[in-house]
Amino acid sequence: MSRAVLSIGSNLGDRIANLRLAVKLLGDSVVLASGVYETPPWGDPDQPPYLNAVLLASDPGAAPRDWLERAHACEAAAGRVRDPARRFGPRTLDVDVIAVWDADDQPVIREEPDLVLPHPRAHERAFVLRPWIDIQPYGQLPGHGWLTDLLNAPALADEIAAMQPRGDLPLEST
C-alpha cells in the first residue's frame, strides 16, 4: 500500500503542539499538510473546540494496518486516553485513517472491527472534507464521490459556517 489520507485533531492541552507532534512522528511519509481549522466539537458539544487538519502521507511499504498503528502511536505519544463511555469526547490527539490507496492507486476497502476503509463517517464531517480540499482540490472519497460535492451537502452548512481557518497556526513542527 502506498498512500493515505489522515485526519488529525486536538482539543486538549497545547492543541497546535499536539498536531505538530503527529506531523513530526509521521516524518518523511507526510507529503502534504492542509491548513489548520478551529472547529466546534463534533458528536459531544460539552467540550472545548478542536484544531483540525488533514495530511496526505505516502509510504510504499505501508499496509492499511500500518497506517492505523502509526495513528495510534501518534495518539499515545500525545498522551491520549480513550474513555469508552465517551466516544466523541475530548482528546489530546485524534488521528483517523480516512482512506488508503494501494501501489496501483486503487482505493482500499476494508471492514474489520478496528479498521474500516474508507472511514465510515468522513463524508459527514466538514472538519475532514474542508482541510482535505486544501491539499487535494479535485480529490474523491472512495465510495462517496468528489470532496467538493460532499462538502456542499446541506447537512454540513452549519458545520462549515462554524469552521475558522487558522492561518496563524502553521503545522511546521520546527
Side-chain angles (χ1 to χ4, degrees):
M1 306 303 159
S2 61
R3 197 166 44 103
V5 170
L6 307 171
S7 174
I8 59 176
S10 174
N11 75 337
L12 292 179
D14 187 339
R15 299 175 303 162
I16 191 62
N18 293 332
L19 298 185
R20 289 175 179 156
L21 176 63
V23 173
K24 180 180 178 182
L25 292 174
L26 291 164
D28 292 340
S29 70
V30 177
V31 176
L32 293 169
S34 74
V36 174
Y37 292 81
E38 189 155 24
T39 64
W42 196 94
D44 180 348
D46 188 25
Q47 58 183 308
Y50 276 81
L51 290 182
N52 291 102
V54 167
L55 308 173
L56 178 63
S58 180
D59 181 344
R65 182 140 315 270
D66 296 324
W67 292 116
L68 181 63
E69 289 171 3
R70 291 176 189 185
H72 288 169
C74 290
E75 292 172 349
R80 165 120 185 232
V81 177
R82 293 181 185 274
D83 180 355
R86 198 168 178 196
R87 182 173 180 193
F88 298 114
R91 52 206 62 190
T92 54
L93 183 63
D94 185 37
V95 181
D96 286 333
V97 181
I98 303 300
V100 175
W101 290 264
D102 65 21
D104 296 322
D105 205 33
Q106 296 301 306
V108 175
I109 308 299
R110 288 276 160 86
E111 193 158 337
E112 299 169 6
D114 63 340
L115 180 62
V116 177
L117 292 172
H119 190 287
R121 292 169 299 284
H123 67 284
E124 301 170 339
R125 296 180 174 168
F127 67 84
V128 171
L129 300 170
R130 179 61 194 95
W132 188 356
I133 288 171
D134 283 357
I135 58 175
Q136 288 190 316
Y138 300 103
Q140 293 185 52
L141 177 60
H144 294 279
W146 298 101
L147 301 177
T148 50
D149 290 345
L150 296 170
L151 191 62
N152 286 320
L156 294 181
D158 290 342
E159 189 179 340
I160 293 164
M163 293 179 72
Q164 297 297 316
R166 293 296 307 266
D168 60 318
L169 299 175
L171 276 180
E172 290 84 19
S173 59
T174 58

